[in-house]
Amino acid sequence: EHLNGNIPYIGGEPMVYYALHQDCYEAAEILARNKDLENLSLTNESGQTTLHLALQKNCVGVVEGLLQQTKDIGLNLCAGIRSSYQAALHMAVGHGLVDVVKAMLQRDDIQVNLHDDNPNSGKTALMQASGQDYNPDIVKILLQRIDIQVNLRSHNGETALMYASQH
């Protein structure tokens, strides 16, 4: 049975966003796997996309469905959720979602060296995985990327290695 996930609700967000917002996770997962979805990179007033909301609510099935989309899903947009200003990869690192990080890194449109937009931080996903949200599996996965830049510095002038030595 085919569901039309492109009918916007009153606020204008895609139906999958609305389903997540209303805690209808099973419906959101079904909708997220619909290959005809559009407008997935639309953001709310805090810059949050459907992908950000799915990560915030730890709905891995919805995240996986969204990552299978071939269209723009706002993967590299930084959302101001609770003043974190993080892209989806940073959020997945923060939640310790190893399989989600792997899936994100398979996408051609991922910017693995993207700094978060937090004016007090400016960390990359590698810095985050090496420091406060230390996860050796995620660090290893990120370091396998040939385009990872290990010597980038945060707004505080620290590298991933410096963060790792502090934790």
Side-chain angles (χ1 to χ4, degrees), residues 37-100:
L37 290 179
E38 297 176 8
N39 302 319
L40 291 173
S41 62
L42 288 178
T43 60
N44 64 12
E45 59 279 348
S46 65
Q48 186 180 45
T49 64
T50 302
L51 182 59
H52 287 108
L53 183 59
L55 284 162
Q56 182 182 351
K57 291 184 174 265
N58 210 20
C59 295
V60 175
V62 175
V63 172
E64 290 170 347
L66 293 171
L67 289 172
Q68 292 173 7
Q69 299 292 326
T70 56
K71 299 175 180 129
D72 181 11
I73 58 172
L75 186 61
N76 299 304
L77 295 176
C78 291
I81 305 161
R82 296 189 190 118
S83 303
S84 66
Y85 305 96
Q86 294 184 327
L89 182 58
H90 294 82
M91 293 180 73
V93 167
H95 287 287
L97 301 173
V98 175
D99 290 337
V100 170

Side-chain angles (χ1 to χ4, degrees), residues 81-156:
I81 305 161
R82 296 189 190 118
S83 303
S84 66
Y85 305 96
Q86 294 184 327
L89 182 58
H90 294 82
M91 293 180 73
V93 167
H95 287 287
L97 301 173
V98 175
D99 290 337
V100 170
V101 170
K102 285 180 184 177
M104 287 181 178
L105 295 176
Q106 294 300 312
R107 288 186 57 106
D108 292 336
D109 57 344
I110 187 74
Q111 293 178 16
V112 71
N113 296 305
L114 185 69
H115 288 81
D116 66 39
D117 279 348
N118 186 329
N120 299 317
S121 170
K123 293 179 185 175
T124 64
L126 180 61
M127 291 174 198
Q128 184 177 341
S130 299
Q132 178 180 345
D133 295 317
Y134 178 67
N135 185 313
D137 295 329
I138 292 177
V139 171
K140 288 175 190 173
I141 293 164
L142 290 168
L143 289 173
Q144 290 174 358
R145 291 282 299 225
I146 60 170
D147 56 343
I148 196 80
Q149 295 180 22
V150 298
N151 293 318
L152 289 176
R153 294 186 180 271
S154 68
H155 294 327
N156 300 330

